[in-house]
Each structure stands twice: as C-alpha cells, then as structure tokens.
Amino acid sequence: MRVNGAEVEAAVDPRTSLLDLLRETLGLSGTKKGCDQGACGACTVLADGERILSCLALAVQYAGREITTVEGLAGPDGPHPLQRAFIDHDGFQCGYCTPGHLCSAVGMAAEAARGVPSYVTADLTADRVVLDRDEIRERMSGNLCRCGAHNGIVAAIAATYAAGPGERA
Amino acid sequence: MTTSAHGRAPVGPAPENWAGPVPDPLTDPARTRRIGEPMPRLEGLAKVTGRIKFAAEHAYPGMLYAALACSTIPKGRITALDVADAERAPGVVLVMTHRNAPRMNPMPGFGSDPKAGGFDTLPVLQDDRVHWNGQPIAVVLAETQEQADHAATLIRVGYAPEPAVTSWEEAVANGTAPTTIYGGPGRRELGDAEAALRAADVSVDEVYRTPYHNHAAIEPHAATVLWDGDELFVHDTTQMVAHSAWSLAKIFGIPEERVHISAPYLGGGFGGKGLWWYQVLAAAASRLAGRPVRIALTRENVFRTVGSRARTEQRVAIGATADGRFEAIIHTGASATSRSADLSEPFILPAQCTYAARTFKLGVEVAYLDMMANTSMRAPGGAVGSFALECAIDELAVKLGMDPIELRLRNEPRQEPIDGRPLSARNLVRAWRAGAERFGWDRRNPTPGAVRDGEWLIGMGCAAATHPYVRSPGAAARITLHRDGRAEVEVAAHDMGMGTATAQTQVIADRLGLEPHQVTFRFGDSRLPGLVMAGGSQQTAAIGAAVAAAHRELLAQLLKLVGDGSPLGGLEPDQVGSLDGGVAALDDPSRHESYADILDRAGRDRLVAEAVAQPPEELTARSMHSFGAMFCEVRVSSVTGEVRVTRFLGSMDCGRIVNPRTAASQFRGGIIMGIGLALTEELVLDDRTGRVVNASLADYHIPVHLDVPEIDLIWTDIPDPHAPMGARGIGEIGITGTGAAIANAVYNATGRRVRDLPITPDKLL
Ligand code: FES
Ligand code: FES
C-alpha cells in the first residue's frame, strides 16, 4: 500500500488493524486510538480520499490502496489550510481527537462536493451541498471531542470550506 | 505609579502573604502586556500535524505489549486460575497473576500523605480476593498487542463468589456513613434549619438524583514503562506526575528519586488521569519480564478499571419569606463509594457559598458498594450539587411567582454565608445582569409550555455556576536566567489541553519583563520542582504563586550581583522589579540594568532561582470562588421528547482572564460536558452484578457536534486581589450550573420537572 505518498511493504498479522499497522508497525502515531471499536472517530484516515475508521479496517484488506494520515495532510508549502484554521479557531484543546477530525473533515468536504446528502440536507437531489454549520455539525458527529472544542472545530471547517465544498480537499 | 519611558511600571516581588492587603503586581493591567492577550497555543502546530507523542506512542527495543484479564464477579475469591493455554499461546512472554506478581505495598491513598496519589488503596494483584466486577486478575505480556489480547482470552478462572452490595438501594438500606470533603468537614450547620424550613412562608423540599459519570477522555489511559536496574521510568498520561512518582516508589519500596514519570501531554483528563492499577501492573510485569512494557487500556478497560464520578441522591429544601429571602437551605444526601476509595461526591460545595440564608443544614454521607473506586471528575460536587440546588431555587421561584434571577439576586451574600469570611472580588450580581441583558432574558415567557414552534416547545432557563478557588501547598518553580536574556521556568505541572503552557508563558513573560519567545516553560515531568496537581482548577494560581516566589528569589540574587557602579546599587529586593528584560527601581524605572548586563559584569552564564510558593493562607482567610451565570434556551419535541440545546450563554466571574482564547475553550469544554450531564450521560452499573453495562463510547453518550450549539461567553475580568495575577480557576466551573440551566429551561418549555439525570426523552413523554 501507499501511505502518505510513500510505498510501504509490511508483513502483518491478519488480525492487525490498519490503525495498528500505522501506529505500531509504521510508527505513524499521529493517527489516534480512542476506542478501537468504531465509536469515536479518532482513528479516521483517508483511503483513496474517502474517510474511514482505521480501527475497523483490517490492514491486509488495504493492500494496494492509497492511505493518507494526518502526517500526510500538509503540502509542500506547509500545513494544510484546515490545519492552520484549527489553530486559528482553537479547534482543539488536548489535541487527541484532532488528527481524526482533520482527516474526517477533508473526506467530508469531498463528500459534500460530490453532492452526497446528509440527515439535515434539505434538497436531496442537489448536485452540491453547501456546508453550512448544521451540515458540518451533522457530518462531523462521528468524531467525538471530549475537551469540548466543537465550536472551534466547526468554525475552522466552515472557514476552510466556505469558499466551496471540497475545493481544497 | 511610576512608569518607564514606555509607560510601564516594573513588576516588583509578589506579596509574601496572598491573604494580605497587597495584591500581586500582575493584577494591575498597567504592568502587564501579555496577560489578557489571546495567544494561540504554543503546541498548536505540533498537535495539528500529529507530532505530539502521547503515553502509548513511545516505543523501545524489546518492548512487550500488555493485555488485562478482569474479574466477572463483584466479590469473592479466585479458586481456580488456569493460565497454561495463555502461557503457551504464540508470542506470550509472561502471564502475571497474584501467584507470581512481585510483592508490593498497597497504593498510598490520596490525602494520606501530601504526595500520595492513589484513588484506590487496595493492594494490586497480591491475593486471591476480588473487590469489584472488572478488577484485573491477570496481565499478559506478549510480543504484539494482538498476541497479548488473544492470550488474555485463554485464561480460565473459577470463583467462590461472596455476597456483594451492588445496588444503590441496598447500599442505602445498609446505612449511610458520615464522611469528609477532602479532609474537611462533610457536614456544615448554622442555626436550626429544619425548624426554619417548617416556619417559612414558602418552601420547596425535593430529592434529586444523578448517575455515575465517566470522564471519557478520548485518549484511553496508557503507560510505557521501563526499568533500568531499580530505576523506574514511565511515560504516563497523568494529572499528577509528582504524586504518582512518589506513590509508585512507595508501592515498589524504592527511593522516591528512582521513579521518573514523564507526561508532558495528555489526551484529556478531567480528573480521571491519576494513579490507577494499570501503571502498577505494567511496572510489576515489566520488572518480572525484564523488558519494557506498553500498557494501553482498551476503552472497556477504562470503564472497568478507572474510577468514575459517583452517583448521588440529594435532598434540597429551601424555606423563604414571602418576599423571597432564604430562611433555610438544607442540602443533604449521599453518594456512592467503595471501601477502598471512601471518597464522597461533595455536592454541598455550591450551597456553602452561593447564597445567604438565616440557617443552613448541609451534609454529605456515603453509601458503600462493592464497586470500582469512584473518583473526582470535572467539578467534583459542584457539577451535580449545583444541579440539585439550582433546580430547587427555580422551583422556589415558581412557587413565589418571582423571576428566578431576581430571587437569586435577593439572596446575594455579603460574606461567606456560614462562617462569615470576607468575600474576595465576588461579582456574580454583575455577571447576572450582564448575562440577562445579552441573552435577552426579558423575552422569556415565565409560563411553562407557552412558547411553541410547530412540534417544538421552547423554553429558557438559568442557573448559577460556582467553583472554589483552590491552591494546594507545595508548588515550586525554578527559574534559570541565561546571559542572553532567555529564561527557562520549570514546574512539575501539567497541560492536558487547558493551555497551561501557553498561559503560563504569558504570565512569566510579564513577571520577568520578557517577551514570550524568550521564555521556555517546562512541565509534565516528576523530576521538575514541586507538587502541583492538575486538579481543582488550581494550576494557574499554583504555578503563578510558585513562579512569583522564585521571581522574588531571583531579584534578590540579581541585586547581590550588581556592584556599586550599577544604577541599581544600594537598592533592596523590595525596591526593585522586572522591566524590559532587566531590573529597575520601583520608584524610578530609569534606574534600570538589563539581565544580560548584570550577568555579564558578574561573569555568570546563568542564574538559577528556585522557591516554593507561599502557603495558601488566602484560602482560609477569604471566601474565594469563581462564579458564573448560565443561560440556556432549549427546544423540546412534543412528539418524541427530544431536547435540543439551541442557545447557551456563560456569563463568568473568575477574576482576571489570562488568555481569552484558551479560557473560552475551557469554559466551553465545561459547558459541553454539562450538556452531556444534563441530557445523555449515565454510566449504568448492573444492580445484580455490579458490572458496568455500557462500557463503550457507543453506549455511554457524550455530546457530539450536532448536540452542541454555538456557546456564547462573556466575563467580568475583575482581578481577585488575593489570587496570583488576580486569576481564579476556570477549568471546571463550566460544567457547574449547566445541568440546572438546561433542566430549568426544559421545565419552562414543557412544565415537566425532571429531578433525575439525565433528562432522556422517556422522562418527558
Ligand atoms: S478508534 Fe476508531 S473509532 Fe474510535
Ligand atoms: S481536543 Fe481533546 S478530545 Fe478533542
């Protein structure tokens, strides 16, 4: 598989989750483990641009796929605009949920750009979804934050994707 | 005031007694530049790029992974323990049970010594006894986590169960016991409150119940442990590095200085990250195996092996005159505890300080269950006690036909209500007025159920928030001043996300007359000076006082170095202060010499000043509390009973705010946890087995994005003259008052009074 643009080769126990492969085998501890049960979103990464819960993914199933983690979000000219926005809007306190939030938001913006509706979307047939605060709050509800940085997180996502959903994803 | 050419005054030594009449010079905005600025978090970039390493993210050659096997009965003896299959499983290096665990001393219980840090006093894995359902009975070490997890499932256990107290009702029926509140009295009385209640014109007398709550920090507890001979090193996630190090030394019978704990960053704490069994188990197993060990608790492990907030049952009775003056406040009841914790949930704290009344009867008792040791969680006592008290006041306001804010203002005390201590910078009335205006309280319809928008009933509620000012003795700081004008400040303190390092860097810059980039604040390591627990919202004050003491010492040392040729020659330490990267005379700032020049001339590369903070005399001399006025609007579905919090305002009175950006996040964090407390959070223990039923984040519901509205905040920002920097605690108060504000809004929306948390839809249908 490719992780953050680099080819990786690893012999893994078939029981190993993608999350543990990243954290333990590859030493990419930026992706967090909050529950290992699919309930918190801390382990969210992008697989070929789609957000997935890496704790619920077996590593062996992702052979040949392109995985992006928080360590891979930054571009050649520095952090991703969303990463900057999280700092500007104080979108975290302890920072433990943050990598999952960041990857999730990038994937979420791409979903909105494709017109994938959510529970709060009024027009289910629209080509594009405008990411207003309610859309963001609904679509990010799978990412828990116990420090209570919700307002800052939503503000950071809104500031980043207000210009157009998915533009920077 | 005498100022420098830049218009600033030097920052002289802080008072030697914080209870005295002289405030910290940093309470004065004219002397500060960085305090009050919304400085972004120093570690922000490292956090958003995933570079911060948490406790379970350190790897060592040869490191083994741990998995726990836990009891499935609440009480009894282990009669059979077959670990042969586990030992033979692939990759397994060690199975440790009570049979082969090294002999260890019991955990020193918190409060039994100033440095004791255990919230559970049981010996860890030393005998065949089971004390709670979920107690670890074996630790498996293996080469990989998968191997350890699998092997742990192969352990077969037989038990001889014994009768256990696992239901609240049974525990209460067995009789509740008087208790203490952090060593202080668990009972406070003034006059004959029961008689005053009976004689009152108007009264309420109700029982309120709150369930167990779990901290649910998103980072599960974890430690990476290694021994070097008889030296123990631990990467931990703890709110008390110094306490934990001392306690682990006692448990293993080794000198204190042989235990080194590093915990610079925590993935949230909220009271739950202290010394529990997991660190002890990992250290013991690592010692037996002779290899480094990583123990990362599963989410289920966290729910079963780390304590939660205890459930409570509280009676609140208030008697008032017809014009709303309180004749009696009675707040009594019990909270659950285990014999090994013996810790009350001190829900009477808000009633001790928030209102004046002619008589008081306050008391908390404990009911003993065979359960996991309970512990402190954000605003112990205050979170659940303010729910009961502030709902009762709302109920009384309804009976009196009076506006609930007006009723509260009418009972504003002029001194600490029970013991008469003078108030220190209490501006709750101002917070109420400012909050009411900003929230639009005058638009509230006092008639319940009268405001409707389709299926949705709309209501507004309010409640007072309060949290005591705390500053424990023992905090110390070491300032190292370098010849190039940089300063390093070291304190064994913590930053679990509150922004401690950022706020303290601002404070230190102002105290030493430096720029923030010239200041390095080191923390989160037991080898650093002093004893500071990240608890009681005390770190700002505790670190502030320690740094102030070290600053006093630093000024004295600097003056010893200046010769007669210096513009500072002949001055005493009390006559100088820090200004513009150097020292200046307080009454004539033009008499100034830079730190660099002083050190240069003396031929010194650096100067080190270390001191312990002054004893916290202000705590006993003054009535010092943070306050807030919480306002809430809810919409309740008349079809499903679902409650949505649509607006929330916290109008806070917590002294001076050091960093408005991180402070706002702290307030919001508390309020959001309060939304969970009000509406969704309930840790359920099975009455028959004492087992946690909902030991996962899928079943223990904390607020998610869609549950959280935009939270508005304002604050008085009035310095407290007896607190370092004029700043009282801000970290816990947000959760207080919030539960009641929501419950009172639900009443206003629906006419339903729910006295049993959480307010789930079934209780409204
Ligand atoms: S760790 Fe994957 S969802 Fe919680
Ligand atoms: S920032 Fe701590 S859990 Fe979200």
Side-chain angles (χ1 to χ4, degrees):
Chain A
M1 87 181 54
R2 289 175 70 79
V3 177
N4 299 330
E7 204 65 45
V8 300
E9 197 66 58
V12 294
D13 188 320
R15 295 170 295 190
T16 302
S17 66
L18 177 59
L19 175 59
D20 285 338
L21 172 82
L22 293 167
R23 284 171 63 84
E24 304 300 330
T25 315
L26 304 180
L28 291 171
S29 58
T31 306
K32 302 304 177 197
K33 184 185 282 189
C35 67
D36 219 14
Q37 301 176 311
C40 75
C43 63
T44 309
V45 298
L46 298 165
D48 298 322
E50 293 230 21
R51 51 178 175 166
I52 62 162
L53 298 174
S54 63
C55 72
L56 295 186
L58 289 173
V60 289
Q61 291 180 300
Y62 284 78
R65 307 280 295 273
E66 170 78 47
I67 306 296
T68 306
T69 70
V70 68
E71 290 97 338
L73 287 182
D77 32 80
H80 189 284
L82 187 64
Q83 289 174 311
R84 288 198 191 287
F86 265 62
I87 298 174
D88 292 344
H89 294 272
D90 214 29
F92 54 90
Q93 293 204 58
C94 77
Y96 198 81
C97 71
T98 313
H101 267 100
L102 289 163
C103 289
S104 182
V106 170
M108 180 276 298
E111 289 160 20
R114 292 200 305 273
V116 179
S118 82
Y119 166 72
V120 299
T121 308
D123 179 2
L124 298 183
T125 61
D127 293 343
R128 282 165 65 95
V129 177
V130 176
L131 284 179
D132 61 20
R133 273 171 199 261
D134 281 351
E135 282 283 358
I136 295 171
R137 291 196 305 144
E138 162 61 17
R139 289 165 188 266
M140 294 301 294
S141 281
N143 287 85
L144 302 181
C145 174
R146 188 54 156 171
C147 294
H150 303 77
N151 286 179
I153 293 167
V154 172
I157 296 171
T160 306
Y161 295 108
E167 245 180 27
R168 295 194 176 89
Chain B
M1 185 204 308
T2 322
T3 59
S4 75
H6 317 85
R8 284 193 308 282
V11 177
E16 292 201 67
N17 180 353
W18 293 97
V22 184
D24 185 351
L26 292 187
T27 55
D28 174 5
R31 284 173 213 264
T32 57
R33 300 170 61 212
R34 300 303 176 189
I35 293 176
E37 274 193 356
M39 195 160 115
R41 284 167 208 277
L42 296 172
E43 75 288 6
L45 190 61
K47 281 184 175 168
V48 299
T49 50
R51 291 206 314 270
I52 293 269
K53 283 221 182 294
F54 292 91
E57 296 168 357
H58 300 270
Y60 289 90
M63 185 177 81
L64 297 170
Y65 292 81
L68 299 180
C70 298
S71 79
T72 53
I73 64 159
K75 191 176 183 181
R77 284 179 186 282
I78 298 168
T79 51
L81 193 52
D82 179 357
V83 300
D85 287 350
E87 282 174 339
R88 275 196 302 269
V92 171
V93 171
L94 174 75
V95 179
M96 184 177 82
T97 69
H98 67 272
R99 293 184 189 142
N100 60 342
R103 294 302 96 189
M104 295 178 270
N105 299 311
M107 281 213 198
F110 183 72
S112 63
D113 181 281
K115 294 182 172 180
F119 284 100
D120 176 12
T121 54
L122 291 168
V124 179
L125 218 61
Q126 298 294 294
D127 56 35
D128 60 0
R129 298 218 54 96
V130 172
H131 300 270
W132 82 88
N133 199 326
Q135 175 189 317
I137 53 174
V139 182
V140 179
L141 297 185
E143 302 289 346
T144 71
Q145 189 69 59
E146 290 80 5
Q147 291 168 335
D149 290 345
H150 172 65
T153 65
L154 302 177
I155 296 172
R156 281 186 294 273
V157 195
Y159 300 100
E162 291 169 9
V165 180
T166 48
S167 91
W168 167 258
E169 286 71 24
E170 188 184 350
V172 171
N174 288 343
T176 54
T179 183
T180 58
I181 298 178
Y182 306 122
R187 223 183 150 73
R188 303 282 301 273
E189 288 198 53
L190 180 70
D192 186 345
E194 297 286 0
L197 179 74
R198 283 192 298 272
D201 296 337
V202 183
S203 65
V204 291
D205 193 344
E206 298 290 349
V207 174
Y208 301 84
R209 293 182 182 84
T210 64
Y212 299 99
H213 293 139
N214 190 270
H215 312 81
I218 303 298
E219 177 205 27
H221 299 62
T224 307
V225 173
L226 55 160
W227 288 90
D228 180 6
D230 69 346
E231 293 224 15
L232 174 62
F233 181 80
V234 186
H235 292 282
D236 199 1
T237 176
T238 176
Q239 303 173 222
M240 39 204 313
V241 282
H243 296 80
S244 285
W246 184 88
S247 304
L248 282 173
K250 284 279 172 264
I251 291 167
F252 287 98
I254 54 179
E256 187 183 357
E257 57 283 357
R258 300 260 165 86
V259 181
H260 181 185
I261 297 183
S262 166
Y265 293 100
L266 281 71
F270 319 114
K273 297 244 171 101
L275 182 62
W276 295 98
W277 278 39
Y278 74 93
Q279 298 103 324
V280 181
L281 292 171
S286 171
R287 197 168 218 194
L288 277 189
R291 288 168 67 174
V293 166
R294 154 98 54 81
I295 187 163
L297 297 190
T298 64
R299 183 53 65 179
E300 181 179 356
N301 286 159
V302 173
F303 279 103
R304 301 205 194 287
T305 70
V306 175
S308 293
R309 189 203 301 282
R311 71 183 278 175
T312 72
E313 193 168 285
Q314 311 170 43
R315 172 190 176 211
V316 182
I318 307 175
T321 59
D323 65 349
R325 288 186 208 278
F326 295 163
E327 289 287 294
I329 294 181
I330 297 173
H331 195 160
T332 56
S335 62
T337 194
S338 71
R339 301 238 172 230
S340 65
D342 214 347
L343 179 75
S344 70
E345 180 63 32
F347 51 71
I348 62 173
L349 293 178
Q352 287 182 12
C353 67
T354 314
Y355 301 104
R358 202 165 55 75
T359 66
F360 281 92
K361 178 178 162 191
L362 313 178
V364 54
E365 302 209 329
V366 284
Y368 292 104
L369 280 88
D370 293 301
M371 63 175 211
M372 170 75 217
N374 59 300
T375 195
S376 297
M377 178 169 153
R378 203 172 205 162
V384 293
S386 65
F387 164 70
L389 177 67
E390 295 293 318
C391 283
I393 288 175
D394 200 69
E395 300 201 38
L396 184 68
V398 171
K399 274 202 178 171
L400 285 162
M402 191 181 284
D403 178 81
I405 296 179
E406 180 52 36
L407 177 60
R408 288 176 170 93
L409 297 183
R410 203 159 282 192
N411 292 284
E412 178 70 10
R414 294 208 193 96
Q415 56 189 28
E416 177 86 355
I418 298 178
D419 62 28
R421 275 173 298 157
L423 306 178
S424 185
R426 175 176 169 133
N427 295 286
L428 178 56
V429 171
R430 196 189 285 217
W432 273 118
R433 297 224 158 96
E437 173 163 348
R438 185 168 175 109
F439 196 72
W441 184 255
D442 57 354
R443 294 199 299 274
R444 172 180 180 262
N445 185 331
T447 309
V451 184
R452 192 180 252 279
D453 173 14
E455 93 179 54
W456 296 92
L457 296 161
I458 302 171
M460 287 192 206
C462 67
T466 182
H467 193 266
Y469 167 87
V470 179
R471 185 166 77 79
S472 303
R478 179 164 58 228
I479 304 176
T480 305
L481 192 61
H482 294 273
R483 203 174 186 158
D484 60 6
R486 278 180 311 112
E488 263 159 40
V489 178
E490 298 168 299
V491 182
H494 311 81
D495 194 342
M496 42 189 186
M498 311 88 94
T500 313
T502 309
Q504 289 299 331
T505 298
Q506 295 171 263
V507 171
I508 293 162
D510 276 350
R511 194 166 309 274
L512 300 186
L514 298 173
E515 294 298 327
H517 70 84
Q518 296 174 296
V519 173
T520 306
F521 181 66
R522 289 193 213 290
F523 58 97
D525 191 301
S526 64
R527 296 234 159 131
L528 300 178
L531 198 62
V532 184
M533 179 179 64
S537 300
Q538 67 167 311
Q539 284 204 131
T540 302
I543 302 167
V547 174
H551 177 235
R552 166 180 284 276
E553 166 70 20
L554 182 75
L555 289 174
Q557 288 194 29
L558 284 162
L559 276 193
K560 281 195 197 133
L561 294 184
V562 306
D564 288 340
S566 159
L568 302 170
L571 290 170
E572 296 295 321
D574 276 338
Q575 298 174 310
V576 297
S578 287
L579 181 72
D580 297 338
V583 182
L586 291 177
D587 62 0
D588 178 8
S590 68
R591 293 177 69 183
H592 177 275
E593 192 166 25
S594 72
Y595 297 136
D597 286 350
I598 297 173
L599 265 64
D600 240 359
R601 190 148 29 73
R604 300 283 290 268
D605 279 337
R606 70 179 72 84
L607 204 56
V608 181
E610 183 172 335
V612 178
Q614 307 294 343
E617 288 178 45
E618 71 276 22
L619 284 178
T620 42
R622 310 275 164 178
S623 166
M624 294 172 71
H625 304 272
S626 282
F627 288 103
M630 305 304 219
F631 296 83
C632 170
E633 179 192 88
V634 298
R635 293 164 76 89
V636 183
S637 167
S638 55
V639 178
T640 65
E642 178 186 358
V643 178
R644 311 298 306 169
V645 177
T646 45
R647 289 203 300 140
F648 203 99
L649 166 69
S651 175
M652 314 308 292
D653 175 41
C654 303
R656 188 148 188 224
I657 296 299
V658 175
N659 181 326
R661 176 194 299 248
T662 52
S665 289
Q666 279 287 85
F667 289 137
R668 289 198 175 99
I671 289 165
I672 292 166
M673 212 178 267
I675 293 175
L677 169 140
L679 299 178
T680 58
E681 291 186 37
E682 177 173 26
L683 190 70
V684 180
L685 271 63
D686 188 318
D687 271 356
R688 300 157 303 173
T689 63
R691 194 162 177 81
V692 176
V693 174
N694 51 344
S696 82
L697 290 177
D699 299 309
Y700 182 84
H701 295 148
I702 68 173
V704 303
H705 282 286
L706 204 55
D707 299 326
V708 177
E710 201 60 27
I711 292 164
D712 193 15
L713 292 165
I714 51 176
W715 46 74
T716 57
D717 212 14
I718 299 169
D720 189 317
H722 300 289
M725 296 84 68
R728 292 187 303 249
I730 60 168
E732 293 170 270
I733 187 168
I735 193 174
T736 75
T738 296
I742 293 171
N744 295 339
V746 167
Y747 173 78
N748 180 243
T750 65
R752 287 292 191 94
R753 186 63 75 177
V754 179
R755 302 186 185 91
D756 231 333
L757 289 181
I759 307 171
T760 44
D762 53 301
K763 295 174 188 167
L764 292 172
L765 290 177

